[in-house]
């Protein structure tokens, strides 16, 4: 049987995975406040679960790497528990990981993001990996894969699924029910800046800016966690895993035309 977790493989099994052209899924999370009712590891737990479960169900196509625990959250430093990595450092770190997978022979990589402020960082790292290694890299936010299911089952208005909310609390209730502090759940909505900014997993506004978290949230949460249920969490996670497998299989087989150097000399071709 194929192993689906990269860290459990022998070096010979890694070579076999390379020959099978399996897609490497790298969960990129963060440790930061998720309100008084959830642990600080929400982003890591959710991203890791969907990657590992997708790889377990499709081991011929996918492989799950160990998660990234620490990322960019300087704006959340007013709350205890936050670990903040400088964006330039994180970009280089993600690039080195992708570069290492490429040097092992893997040609398809996906950064599966679990933390909103990682998005632009993952996008830059993805381009660097693609531009400077032999691998093609993509990135996606795991919650976007469940957007259709969220629209179908959510009970909260826009703003209700933003952070430690109906969405994230439901998933954590399903994954780690013993760690949810039900007695500390409270709803809190961010300032409504629509149409310029929309704080909701349903989609963003026309512009992006980020104040310090303590300027927009008293509890550390944003949204309606009071509407969360383990069953909603199960449905959202299932939708995410199904879409991640679908994307991984597409990414594995996608082909690109050869590069064409239109410069006069082509002397700097890489």
């Amino acid at each position: 049987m194929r192993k689906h977790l990269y860290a459990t493989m022998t070096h010979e099994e890694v070579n076999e995975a390379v020959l099978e052209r399996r897609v490497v899924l790298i969960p990129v999370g963060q440790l930061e406040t998720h309100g008084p009712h959830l642990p600080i590891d929400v982003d890591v737990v959710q991203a890791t679960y969907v990657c590992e479960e997708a790889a377990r169900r499709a081991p011929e196509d996918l492989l799950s790497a160990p998660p990234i625990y620490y990322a960019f959250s300087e704006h959340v430093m007013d709350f205890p528990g936050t670990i903040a990595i400088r964006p330039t450092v994180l970009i280089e770190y993600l690039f080195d990981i992708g570069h290492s997978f490429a040097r092992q022979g893997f040609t398809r990589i996906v950064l599966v993001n679990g933390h909103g402020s990682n998005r632009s960082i993952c996008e830059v790292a993805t381009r660097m990996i693609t531009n400077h290694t032999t691998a093609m890299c993509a990135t996606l936010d795991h919650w976007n894969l469940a957007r259709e299911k969220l629209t179908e089952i959510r009970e909260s208005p826009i703003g209700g699924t933003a952070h430690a909310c109906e969405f994230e609390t439901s998933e954590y209730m399903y994954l780690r029910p013993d760690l949810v502090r039900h007695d500390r759940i409270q709803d809190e909505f961010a300032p409504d800046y629509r149409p310029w900014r929309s704080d909701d997993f349903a989609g963003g506004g026309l512009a992006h800016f980020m104040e310090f978290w303590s300027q927009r949230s008293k509890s550390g949460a944003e949204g309606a966690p009071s509407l969360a249920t383990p069953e909603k969490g199960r449905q959202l996670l299932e939708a995410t895993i199904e879409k991640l497998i679908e994307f991984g299989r597409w990414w594995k087989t996608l082909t690109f035309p050869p590069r064409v150097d239109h410069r006069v000399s082509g002397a700097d071709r890489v």
Side-chain angles (χ1 to χ4, degrees):
M1 293 183 63
R2 295 179 180 91
K3 292 179 179 177
H4 67 285
L5 301 179
Y6 182 80
T8 66
M9 290 180 163
T10 66
H11 72 254
E12 291 175 338
E13 290 168 335
V14 171
N15 278 341
E16 292 172 2
V18 168
L19 293 174
E20 292 176 330
R21 300 182 61 250
R22 291 164 71 177
V23 175
V24 180
L25 306 177
I26 305 175
V28 187
Q30 171 59 331
L31 299 181
E32 65 172 12
T33 180
H34 277 75
H37 63 289
L38 294 177
I40 60 175
D41 68 351
V42 170
D43 296 340
V44 179
V45 168
Q46 292 174 342
T48 302
Y49 176 79
V50 296
C51 288
E52 292 186 351
E53 187 62 16
R56 187 188 69 81
R57 298 183 191 184
E60 70 283 0
D61 297 313
L62 307 177
L63 178 63
S64 184
I68 309 300
Y69 273 83
Y70 308 119
F72 175 59
S73 282
E74 183 61 34
H75 56 293
V76 192
M77 267 297 180
D78 290 343
F79 286 91
T82 306
I83 304 297
I85 305 300
R86 288 167 290 155
T88 53
V89 173
L90 184 56
I91 289 169
E92 294 289 347
Y93 183 63
L94 292 173
F95 171 77
D96 282 349
I97 292 172
H99 188 200
S100 295
F101 275 111
R103 293 173 69 187
Q104 299 301 321
F106 292 98
T107 60
R108 290 291 188 274
I109 301 168
V110 184
L111 303 181
V112 180
N113 180 34
H115 171 58
S117 294
N118 286 346
R119 179 183 299 156
S120 58
I121 292 170
C122 286
E123 288 175 354
V124 173
T126 291
R127 291 196 180 200
M128 290 177 62
I129 292 167
T130 298
N131 292 341
H132 299 291
T133 78
T134 55
M136 294 294 297
C137 186
T139 186
L140 51 82
D141 299 325
H142 78 81
W143 56 86
N144 282 336
L145 300 178
R147 185 174 290 180
E148 291 182 5
K149 178 58 67 174
L150 175 63
T151 300
E152 175 188 328
I153 68 174
R154 71 181 296 168
E155 298 178 84
S156 63
I158 293 297
T161 61
H163 183 75
C165 51
E166 181 183 10
F167 184 107
E168 289 193 315
T169 302
S170 290
E171 291 196 344
Y172 211 89
M173 282 180 173
Y174 178 76
L175 295 173
R176 303 279 178 87
D178 55 314
L179 296 180
V180 178
R181 291 287 305 273
H182 291 267
D183 60 317
R184 302 299 303 278
I185 290 176
Q186 55 184 293
D187 294 349
E188 181 177 355
F189 287 75
D192 189 350
Y193 294 129
R194 289 177 289 172
W196 304 114
R197 186 178 78 186
S198 178
D199 296 296
D200 195 275
F201 288 160
L206 300 175
H208 178 74
F209 58 92
M210 180 58 64
E211 63 271 50
F212 281 94
W213 205 253
S214 60
Q215 294 175 297
R216 57 190 280 164
S217 175
K218 296 178 181 179
S219 67
E222 285 186 1
S226 65
L227 297 174
T229 69
E231 175 57 21
K232 288 180 183 176
R234 185 192 68 79
Q235 292 185 48
L236 291 166
L237 288 164
E238 281 297 310
T240 301
I241 292 163
E242 289 176 6
K243 279 290 187 182
L244 186 54
I245 293 172
E246 180 183 344
F247 174 79
R249 286 173 170 162
W250 176 80
W251 188 235
K252 178 181 179 180
T253 59
L254 183 64
T255 59
F256 297 89
R259 290 179 62 186
V260 178
D261 191 339
H262 294 277
R263 295 171 294 176
V264 173
S265 67
D268 296 325
R269 184 184 291 113
V270 293

